[in-house]
Amino acid sequence: MSAPAPWDPGSASRRLVFWRHGRTEWNRVGRFQGQQDIALDAGGERQAAHAAQVLRHLQPDAIISSDLGRALNTALALAAHTAPAVVQDKRLRETYAGQWEGKTFAQIAEQDAAMLAAWSAGVGSVRAGGGETRVDVGMRVAEAVNEAVQDVPAGGTLVAVSHGGAIRAGICALLGLPTESWAVISGVSNCHWSVLQESPDRHGRPAWHLTQHNVGLDSLPTGPVEG
C-alpha cells in the first residue's frame, strides 16, 4: 500500500508543520540571534501575515510556538485566522549560542573559525559559542513536538513555530538520522516551512517522514537560515 499523499486531508495520519519565524533586523544584517529576544522587523511582519494566509488553509488543530517574540508573533499571525490558540513552549527556542549571540557571522568566522566550521558542518558534539550542541537542540524540539502531537486527532495538523537552527535539528532528530549526517538537511528560510507526515515504518510502527522542506513564498525577502 502506498503512503498517503502529504496534503491529503482524508489521511488518518497526523501532519507536523514546522514554520520558521519572519525576518528580524538581526537576520537582515547576518547577526546570530540564538536565544536573544529580537523582534520581527516590518518585513518580517509582512512575511508572517502573507504566509499565514496560505497556512490557514491547513486548518491546524494545534499551534505551538517558541516563547521568543519573533516566533510567537509569527504564530499569532496564523492564530488570528484559525480556531486553536497558540501554546508557548520554551523547548522550541533557538540554539543557545553562548558568546556567539549578538555577533555577526563574519565576526564569528574571524574569532572562532574552527568551531564555526565544525558546527556549520553539523558536528553533533560542537557547542555553538560554548552553548548547546545541535543534538541538545534536536532532542528538546523533538520532545516538545512528540508531546504536543498526542493531543492532535487522527488526520489532524500540528503547526510548530520555531527558528531556523532549531527546526533543522528537530527534523533530524524526529527522522532518527545519524548525527554525522545532519548537515544534509538544509536550514529553513524566514517564514518558510517544512512538513512531516506520520507513516508506518517497515515494521508497521508510526514514524515521521519528511514530505516537504523549506517551502515558502519565494518572492519575500529572507534572512540567514540560523536564528
Side-chain angles (χ1 to χ4, degrees):
M1 181 180 296
S2 60
W7 296 95
D8 179 5
S11 171
S13 64
R14 292 169 293 192
R15 178 171 52 201
L16 166 62
V17 180
F18 274 119
W19 185 26
R20 187 189 176 196
H21 64 79
R23 192 186 69 180
T24 70
E25 175 63 16
W26 281 22
N27 285 147
R28 191 185 69 80
V29 301
R31 198 174 295 278
F32 202 123
Q33 296 178 117
Q35 295 193 2
Q36 300 299 304
D37 201 0
I38 310 303
L40 296 174
D41 65 13
E45 291 175 352
R46 290 194 297 271
Q47 287 178 324
H50 294 164
Q53 291 290 342
V54 175
L55 293 176
R56 68 186 179 90
H57 295 293
L58 298 179
Q59 300 180 324
D61 298 276
I63 304 171
I64 59 175
S65 174
S66 159
D67 63 331
L68 297 178
R70 59 190 183 272
L72 180 58
N73 286 320
T74 299
L76 291 172
L78 176 60
H81 301 286
T82 61
V86 176
V87 175
Q88 299 179 47
D89 194 323
K90 292 182 178 180
R91 292 173 294 182
L92 295 177
R93 284 185 176 189
E94 181 57 291
T95 306
Y96 169 60
Q99 62 187 0
W100 289 359
E101 295 190 357
K103 295 180 179 179
T104 65
F105 284 90
Q107 289 172 325
I108 298 169
E110 181 179 347
Q111 299 166 9
D112 208 356
M115 181 178 286
L116 178 61
W119 180 80
S120 298
V123 177
S125 60
V126 174
R127 296 191 174 278
E132 289 183 294
T133 69
R134 291 194 186 278
V135 174
D136 293 333
V137 179
M139 288 178 62
R140 61 173 166 81
V141 171
E143 180 180 70
V145 165
N146 281 326
E147 285 183 13
V149 80
Q150 298 307 309
D151 295 325
V152 174
T157 297
L158 169 67
V159 174
V161 186
S162 187
H163 308 263
I167 290 173
R168 175 159 68 167
I171 288 173
C172 291
L174 288 166
L175 295 179
L177 297 180
T179 304
E180 62 271 16
S181 70
W182 282 21
V184 303
I185 300 292
S186 71
V188 180
S189 302
N190 286 125
C191 249
H192 283 49
W193 56 89
S194 296
V195 181
L196 287 83
Q197 188 88 19
E198 275 188 324
S199 183
D201 65 14
R202 61 192 181 89
H203 301 293
R205 297 172 302 203
W208 291 109
H209 297 264
L210 184 64
T211 61
Q212 299 187 34
H213 184 57
N214 199 24
V215 178
L217 307 177
D218 292 333
S219 60
L220 297 175
T222 60
V225 295
E226 301 287 345

